[in-house]
Amino acid sequence: MTTQPTPVVLDVDTGVDDACALLLAALHPALDLRAVSCVGGNACVDDVVRNTLLVLETAGRPDVPVARGAERPLLEAPVNARHVHGDDGMADLGWGPAATTADRRHAVELLRDVCREAAESERPVTLVPLAPLTNIALLLRTYPDAAQGISEIVFMGGAANVGNATASAEFNVFHDPEAAAVTLDAAADLGIPVTMYGLDVFYGPVVAAEVVDELLAVGGRGPAELGGRLIAFQSKRFGRDASTIGDAGAVCAVVDRAGLKTETLPLRVELAGTWSRGRTIVDRRGWSGDLAHDPHGEAPVRIEVALEVDGPRYAALWADTLLGRLGER
Ligand code: RIB
Ligand code: CA
């Protein structure tokens, strides 16, 4: 019996690695990319929309609706990551613009409609946020019935151990800590299972220079060449031979969950700390006695936290998909 592809929806701040994730989601046969919502983060939301439309058109998927969402975080002042992703937010490739245009709906309305349709058709979507969680928090608080169309949230964000935007916090959560806290609280309230693909695994799947050369050699300004240019941009920017597929690892986890090791752990988002604001505080204590004497008590939110990843497995999944070589290994 052939299994149907998994319906997925991505929320992005495209972004070099968001673009890598979009390519995988658009091309892998086990996924049915239903929609993409955009939020300000790595770049302003209008650049994110422009970049997202271009990636989907390059992947031959102009059919996938793309909508413009939140311009800024719920409370935090907006920042960007152009120092990482380039001035245009996507490696300054000089490609485009896309011929396609964004959906007329706000991203939250597109997400609402796609989730409601998913519930009606009894094919719930896996929601894959790869950016600050502003759109997702707004969706779940404004239209909680959307949860009936969501089978799981697999988000790139947070960390059990390290930070990148600050010593303590990961960029997506740091950018909008309130949205992260609201999303996790609402998902718990609404019974949506959550998996956190955080920095503890984010840097694991890396693409080597020789694979970049293979991707670039395909040429034709298609998805393989685009993927190769994106990885090459990162390698040059960070002075490395190999670079992570970043957000695309979270999409790999939807395709191939066995490549990820997770634990169900309590988690809180720090909203008040001077130096720790935006930190995801993952509770890995092993003795109940500590908890019994903890004035804070156990965090009300328990999610699947990714702690280990088979990096080569996910890097190969991503590259083979773009090269059209799935199943040849
Ligand atoms: O911390 C990494 C995350 O921040 C990724 O989603 C990257 O695209 C940026 O948004
Ligand atoms: Ca991102």
Side-chain angles (χ1 to χ4, degrees), residues 13 39-42 73-77 79 129-134 155-160 162-166 168-184 194-199 247 267-271 276-282 303:
D13 60 337
V39 65
N42 289 323
L74 298 178
L75 194 59
E76 185 71 25
V79 297
L130 303 171
L133 289 157
T134 318
F155 78 98
M156 192 280 129
V162 294
N164 58 0
T166 70
S168 191
E170 177 279 325
F171 178 84
N172 289 337
V173 177
F174 177 71
H175 192 90
D176 195 341
E178 280 73 22
V182 166
T183 296
L184 293 172
V194 176
T195 295
M196 181 172 92
Y197 186 90
L199 292 182
D247 286 332
L267 178 147
R268 283 189 174 96
V269 178
E270 176 60 74
L271 299 177
S276 57
R277 175 164 162 79
R279 180 174 182 78
T280 48
I281 302 170
V282 177
I303 64 173

Side-chain angles (χ1 to χ4, degrees), residues 220-293:
R221 296 173 81 94
E225 182 184 349
L226 177 54
R229 287 177 177 258
L230 293 166
I231 300 293
F233 172 86
Q234 282 193 106
S235 298
K236 184 177 179 186
R237 176 136 297 195
F238 294 109
R240 297 194 184 118
D241 292 335
S243 289
T244 177
I245 60 173
D247 286 332
V251 179
C252 289
V254 179
V255 174
D256 178 18
R257 188 61 176 244
L260 201 65
K261 183 179 176 187
T262 65
E263 285 184 33
T264 306
L265 295 169
L267 178 147
R268 283 189 174 96
V269 178
E270 176 60 74
L271 299 177
T274 300
W275 311 118
S276 57
R277 175 164 162 79
R279 180 174 182 78
T280 48
I281 302 170
V282 177
D283 190 345
R284 300 188 68 185
R285 289 176 290 180
W287 180 50
S288 59
D290 281 334
L291 193 58
H293 292 79

